[in-house]
Amino acid sequence: MMARSLRVAPEYIEKVKSVPQRKGYPSQQTLASEMGFSLPTVKSFLTGKPVDYLNFVELSEKLGLDWREIAYKEPENSQPQTLSVEQQFRLEKERDGLEEAWNIQHKKVSKIRLALLIETGTTNEFQLEQQLQEAKARLTDIEAELYQVEAELELASPTKILENKVQVSPLKPQPTNGEASPFITGAPITQPRYFFGREKELKRLFNLLKRHPLQNSAIIGKKRSGKTSLLHYLKNITTSPAEQLRPEQKSDWLPHPENYHWIFVDLQDARMQSREGLLKYILELLKMQVPTPCDLDHFMEIVSDNLHFPTVILLDEIGVGLQRCPELDDGFWESLRSLATNHTRGNLAFVLATPESPIEMARNTGHSSPFFNIFGYTAYLGALTEIEARELIASSPIAFTDEDVEWILTQSCCWPLLLQILCREKLFNLEEGENDDNWREEGLRQIKPFTDLLDSELAE
C-alpha cells in the first residue's frame, strides 16, 4: 500500500529547512505562493510533519531534493500491527471524531474566506487573514492526525485483529457463477484480460495522462464499438495484478499508477443524473468530506483545496446527461471546466465517450458550455487491426481451424463485438462436439442486429 502522506526524516529536517533561502525564496509564503500550496502545507513539509504524498514529491523536486532520500522510512523489521477488538474500536471512534472535527474546521475556513471576500477594511482584513492561516494550520494538523489513525487501521487487516485471543479468518470470496466466459457479447468488458486491441488509441490516451498537466480526451465511436469497454480498460489495466492478465499483456502505461484516482461515471445510472447525486459520488470516491448541502459551490471548494493527486473522471453516455438531465446544465459543465483548467493544478482530466464530437453533441442538445471545447485529442474507434482480431480469436480455450478463423475475420470485418459473437458460437459448437457448420448460420443470425457496424467507417 502506498503511503497517503510522507514526512521528512528527523535527520534531514535541518538540511531541508535551510534549502528555500539558498534557492532564492526569502520566505515560506513566497515558496507556497509559487507552488500554489497553502502556507501550512509548506510549514509542515519543512518541519517534518506529514503532508500529502504528491505535495511532498513536488516540494522536494522544486527545492532540488531527492524525495526518496529525505522521506522518513518505517524500520524494515517492524512487525505488522495486531489489534484487539477494543483497540480497533478505539481507533475507529477516534477516526470518526477526527472526521467530524475536520468537517467543522473546514466549514470554519470556508466562512473566513467568505468574510474576506466581503471585508473592505484593512484592519479587519488583516485580522481575518491571521484567522484564516490559523484555521488552515489547524485543518492541516487534523488531517495529519487522521492520516495516522487511518494508517494504523489499514495496517491491521482482518487477519491481524484479535478477538478473545483467536484470529478471525478473512472473509471468503463470494462464489461466482462458474468459470469466466472467454467471449463477452452482452456487457462491457471490465476485466482487462478479456480486452483486446486498441493499442494505438491506448498509447495516445495514456501519453496525455502520464505527464503534467493531465489533458482531456474524447472517445468517439458507433454504438457497440467498444467505447465503454475502453473506459473500463483505462481505469483498470495499470493496477491489475500480473496473474490476472494475459502473458505479455502491457500494463506499464503509467510511471506511478498507484498515484492515480479513476472515477467511472455512467450517466445512464439514475443516481448520476441529479447534480447532488453525481457530486456526492465523485467526492466519496475521492475520499473527501461530503458537505451538507452538497451543492456545486461546496463541491468546487473542497476539490480545489484537496485534489493533490492525478485524477481522471471517465464520463460514459455523456449524451444521456445532456439530453435527459436538466440539473446538469451549462452552469454545471462550466464549473467542471473551470475546475480542470484553473483550480486543480493540472491534476484533473476528463475522458468522455460519445458517438459524435463533443462540440456537435452539445450543440445538438441545446448546450453551449465551453466544457466541450477542452477535449484536445479524439480517439475514433473503428474495427480492430487484423493482428488484434487474430489475437482475440486465438484466446479461445479450444483452438479454431485456419478455415474457421478466416471465415470469422471476413464476416466480422474485425469489429470486436462481431468477433466476440462469432467466436462464442464456434466455441459452443466445439464444446458440444458438433462437427457441422451450422454454427456459421447461427452466428450470422446473431450478428444481424449489429451489422450497422459494417457500414462505412467513421471519418477520422
Side-chain angles (χ1 to χ4, degrees):
M1 178 190 71
M2 184 197 75
R4 290 176 56 182
S5 61
L6 293 174
R7 60 187 176 93
V8 175
E11 62 269 25
Y12 287 103
I13 290 176
E14 290 306 315
K15 174 184 175 181
V16 170
K17 277 184 178 179
S18 67
V19 172
Q21 286 198 340
R22 288 194 285 107
K23 291 288 184 178
Y25 297 103
S27 68
Q28 294 176 4
Q29 182 62 65
T30 306
L31 175 60
S33 298
E34 183 167 322
M35 295 289 293
F37 294 153
S38 67
L39 181 58
T41 296
V42 172
K43 283 184 176 180
S44 294
F45 173 79
L46 295 174
T47 55
K49 292 181 180 179
V51 297
D52 178 83
Y53 178 94
L54 288 180
N55 289 351
F56 187 94
V57 174
E58 288 183 33
L59 280 163
S60 299
E61 292 176 349
K62 186 70 174 178
L63 296 174
L65 298 166
D66 184 343
W67 70 270
R68 296 177 183 83
E69 179 186 357
I70 65 172
Y72 175 74
K73 303 169 186 65
E74 296 290 341
E76 292 185 3
N77 60 353
S78 60
Q79 295 298 314
Q81 187 177 3
T82 300
L83 299 180
S84 66
V85 172
E86 291 79 8
Q87 289 172 319
Q88 167 115 0
F89 177 77
R90 178 184 60 77
L91 283 172
E92 288 177 346
K93 188 174 181 180
E94 185 177 352
R95 177 198 60 198
D96 294 343
L98 286 168
E99 287 179 346
E100 183 177 355
W102 185 95
N103 194 28
I104 293 171
Q105 191 67 19
H106 189 273
K107 289 180 179 178
K108 183 177 179 180
V109 170
S110 300
K111 287 180 180 178
I112 298 174
R113 280 180 173 155
L114 181 60
L116 268 170
L117 292 174
I118 299 171
E119 183 57 54
T120 56
T122 305
T123 303
N124 287 342
E125 186 176 355
F126 176 77
Q127 293 174 344
L128 286 169
E129 287 283 3
Q130 291 293 107
Q131 292 175 20
L132 180 61
Q133 294 303 328
E134 292 171 4
K136 289 171 72 175
R138 175 56 186 149
L139 191 64
T140 302
D141 289 341
I142 294 173
E143 286 177 350
E145 292 179 52
L146 185 57
Y147 283 157
Q148 182 62 37
V149 172
E150 288 182 338
E152 291 182 46
L153 283 167
E154 287 171 359
L155 283 172
S157 68
T159 57
K160 298 171 192 164
I161 298 172
L162 299 181
E163 183 171 10
N164 298 327
K165 299 183 181 180
V166 178
Q167 286 192 336
V168 179
S169 300
L171 294 174
K172 295 182 180 179
Q174 293 297 313
T176 63
N177 293 330
E179 62 181 306
S181 173
F183 301 115
I184 301 168
T185 59
I189 295 169
T190 57
Q191 297 182 52
R193 181 184 186 90
Y194 302 109
F195 183 94
F196 290 85
R198 308 299 187 201
E199 291 292 319
K200 180 184 75 172
E201 292 83 2
L202 286 166
K203 185 174 182 179
R204 292 292 300 276
L205 290 165
F206 276 118
N207 277 342
L208 295 172
L209 298 173
K210 74 180 183 182
R211 297 184 178 92
H212 194 270
L214 277 61
Q215 298 181 55
N216 307 290
S217 51
I219 299 170
I220 297 180
K222 298 179 181 181
K223 288 184 178 180
R224 305 179 187 87
S225 60
K227 300 186 296 296
T228 302
S229 295
L230 180 53
L231 290 179
H232 281 293
Y233 195 74
L234 288 170
K235 176 177 178 287
N236 297 325
I237 181 58
T238 59
T239 53
S240 291
E243 62 271 15
Q244 294 180 13
L245 302 176
R246 302 188 302 274
E248 307 302 322
Q249 187 173 4
K250 182 175 175 61
S251 62
D252 58 343
W253 295 99
L254 298 172
H256 297 289
E258 69 279 2
N259 293 347
Y260 282 69
H261 282 223
W262 299 85
I263 299 176
F264 180 88
V265 177
D266 178 8
L267 287 164
Q268 291 183 122
D269 185 336
R271 295 169 296 180
M272 302 296 104
Q273 294 177 3
S274 73
R275 182 179 290 191
E276 183 178 11
L278 179 52
L279 298 181
K280 278 184 176 179
Y281 172 76
I282 293 173
L283 288 173
E284 286 169 355
L285 288 186
L286 290 175
K287 298 182 179 177
M288 294 181 184
Q289 191 73 31
V290 177
T292 304
C294 189
D295 55 24
L296 196 53
D297 289 345
H298 285 99
F299 173 84
M300 292 284 290
E301 183 179 357
I302 289 172
V303 177
S304 298
D305 288 348
N306 297 284
L307 192 69
H308 305 307
F309 39 78
T311 298
V312 185
I313 298 181
L314 307 162
L315 295 170
D316 195 26
E317 297 294 343
I318 187 75
V320 173
L322 295 178
Q323 292 169 357
R324 305 180 195 168
C325 309
E327 291 186 27
L328 307 185
D329 55 14
D330 283 352
F332 173 83
W333 297 112
E334 286 165 9
S335 294
L336 292 191
R337 182 187 193 278
S338 177
L339 195 63
T341 56
N342 298 317
H343 301 297
T344 49
R345 299 161 293 280
N347 286 318
L348 177 63
F350 293 93
V351 180
L352 61 80
T354 168
E356 57 185 329
S357 83
I359 297 173
E360 288 297 320
M361 177 184 57
R363 185 179 298 123
N364 293 338
T365 53
H367 290 265
S368 59
S369 171
F371 173 78
F372 300 98
N373 296 328
I374 65 175
F375 298 90
Y377 169 69
T378 300
Y380 294 92
L381 298 193
L384 301 183
T385 66
E386 184 177 329
I387 292 175
E388 292 170 343
R390 288 184 181 275
E391 185 182 6
L392 189 159
I393 295 170
S395 69
S396 172
I398 304 176
F400 300 166
T401 65
D402 290 345
E403 181 185 353
D404 287 334
V405 169
E406 296 304 321
W407 186 87
I408 290 172
L409 289 171
T410 300
Q411 298 300 323
S412 68
C413 293
C414 297
W415 280 94
L417 175 62
L418 308 187
L419 283 165
Q420 298 272 7
I421 292 173
L422 295 177
C423 287
R424 178 195 67 193
E425 293 303 318
K426 176 57 186 174
L427 179 60
F428 181 76
N429 173 268
L430 292 172
E431 288 176 336
E432 293 300 305
E434 299 172 1
N435 296 317
D436 52 49
D437 285 337
N438 290 340
W439 70 273
R440 294 190 178 186
E441 182 180 346
E442 181 61 25
L444 292 175
R445 187 181 299 114
Q446 293 294 330
I447 68 171
K448 188 174 181 181
F450 312 111
T451 51
D452 60 301
L453 289 169
L454 302 176
D455 296 340
S456 59
E457 296 282 333
L458 280 166
E460 295 196 21

